[in-house]
Amino acid sequence: MLIKKPADIRSYEITPEHVYRSRRAFMQSMAVAAGAAAAGISLRSEANYPDVSSYPAPDWLRKHVHDAKPGPFGTDEDVTPYIYASRYNNFYEFGMDKEDPAEHAEAMVTDPWSVEVSGACENGGTFAYEDIIKAHALEERIYRLRCVEAWSMVIPWIGLPLGDLLKRFKPLSSAKFVEFTTLYAPDQMPGQRSYFSAIDYPYVEGLRMDEAMHPLAIMAVGMYGDVIPPQNGAPMRLVVPWKYGFKSIKSIVAIRFTAREPMTTWEKQAPNEYGFYANVNPEVDHPRWSQKTERRLPSSLFSPNRIDTRLFNGYAEEVAHLYSGMNLRRYF
Ligand SMILES: Nc1nc2c(c(=O)[nH]1)N[C@H]1C(S)=C(S)[C@@H](COP(=O)(O)O)O[C@H]1N2
Ligand SMILES: [Mo]
């Protein structure tokens, strides 16, 4: 491994388990290979697997991301190897299989990018990506990500507190919710052209204002020390770590402040299975499977790595007060 000066070492690189950028360490790890097979990741092209730093991005963004400082709410759990986080994805716009996004998302044009801000706010309008992001210092946040499908990872994101961004648009007091929309571009996103697509595009998500302003919620623009790869939601995506992964909407092009609860993609799709709140909760099962435990990737047939799922994904101390007095079975 390359020996770096302390100043060059980002926080996630300090623990030896976390040398996820070392290709050789990965190749030598049979546990990881077995896990990959069980997780459905093929290792055929592993030798040519692109490093996180290989995706094109504007110079200012790459520099900005490299300047990120460690932020709060970290965990000492092992960080999931980069290859899982960037190859075992849900991004249905690029297909339903876990590896489809890694294969197809590079066709998405993420530069230039702009975001339309509308609804109940004083400073709406269309903003260039650079004007949205550059003003904010970036932080590394190492968070658990728990998918509603009962697998999980630990990912070192780089981003900014969502609340700091939203405040710049001066939401009115009538704004009780905020809605986010993903890019709609069937020419770039094969999943949006499919006749078999079950989903209505564009993908829409939403948060209650107090959830959006909570310091745990971030807008991520990077991961694993570099710019976020397209399959993970370049050039900006939400990360709301106490909620099921589907709330963490990718590749955002619109933000709208509303008085009413937005209708979100998965709730529209199957309202009895996916609610607006989608807080991680081991006591409220999905109608088709238990939510009591999760498979922490990498996992395999021989070491399934099943762990107990925690209320609010382990962030209860930080967020439980947002839901005091609410029936979490009803508002699932
Ligand atoms: N636009 C969009 N955002 C999305 C999804 C999607 O299909 N489309 N999938 C969600 C789901 S189900 C999960 S678990 C996370 C996965 O994020 P990751 O691939 O970066 O781990 O993205 C979420 N954001
Ligand atoms: Mo998910």
Side-chain angles (χ1 to χ4, degrees), residues 27-68:
M27 293 299 278
Q28 286 159 2
S29 163
M30 287 313 288
V32 171
I41 296 177
S42 57
L43 292 173
R44 272 170 288 128
S45 51
E46 162 54 18
N48 302 319
Y49 194 69
D51 188 82
V52 63
S53 63
S54 71
Y55 295 97
D59 288 344
W60 71 266
L61 178 61
R62 185 147 267 135
K63 187 178 174 308
H64 204 38
V65 161
H66 288 172
D67 285 343

Side-chain angles (χ1 to χ4, degrees), residues 227-293:
V227 175
I228 195 164
Q231 61 268 37
N232 293 94
M236 58 190 261
R237 58 89 54 86
L238 287 194
V239 180
V240 191
W242 71 95
K243 293 177 179 283
Y244 291 119
F246 66 84
K247 297 297 288 184
S248 292
I249 180 174
K250 296 177 170 180
S251 305
I252 294 166
V253 294
I255 299 175
R256 192 167 67 95
F257 297 97
T258 66
R260 297 236 181 122
E261 187 178 293
M263 179 45 76
T264 59
T265 292
W266 285 104
E267 192 188 0
K268 193 164 160 190
Q269 170 68 20
N272 59 322
E273 300 187 15
Y274 308 103
F276 175 80
Y277 282 93
N279 291 314
V280 175
N281 190 340
E283 300 306 323
V284 180
D285 286 339
H286 186 278
R288 290 182 281 130
W289 59 84
S290 163
Q291 294 292 24
K292 288 202 166 16
T293 63

Side-chain angles (χ1 to χ4, degrees), residues 17 20 53 68 71-72 133-135 184 195 214 220 226 242 315 329:
E17 258 88 26
Y20 37 63
S53 63
I133 300 301
K134 225 177 182 173
Y184 181 72
Y195 284 116
H214 192 283
D226 217 290
W242 71 95
Y315 299 100
R329 282 182 188 281

Side-chain angles (χ1 to χ4, degrees), residues 90 146-149 151 244-246:
N90 280 333
R146 170 50 159 92
C147 178
V148 73
E149 298 164 336
W151 52 263
Y244 291 119
F246 66 84

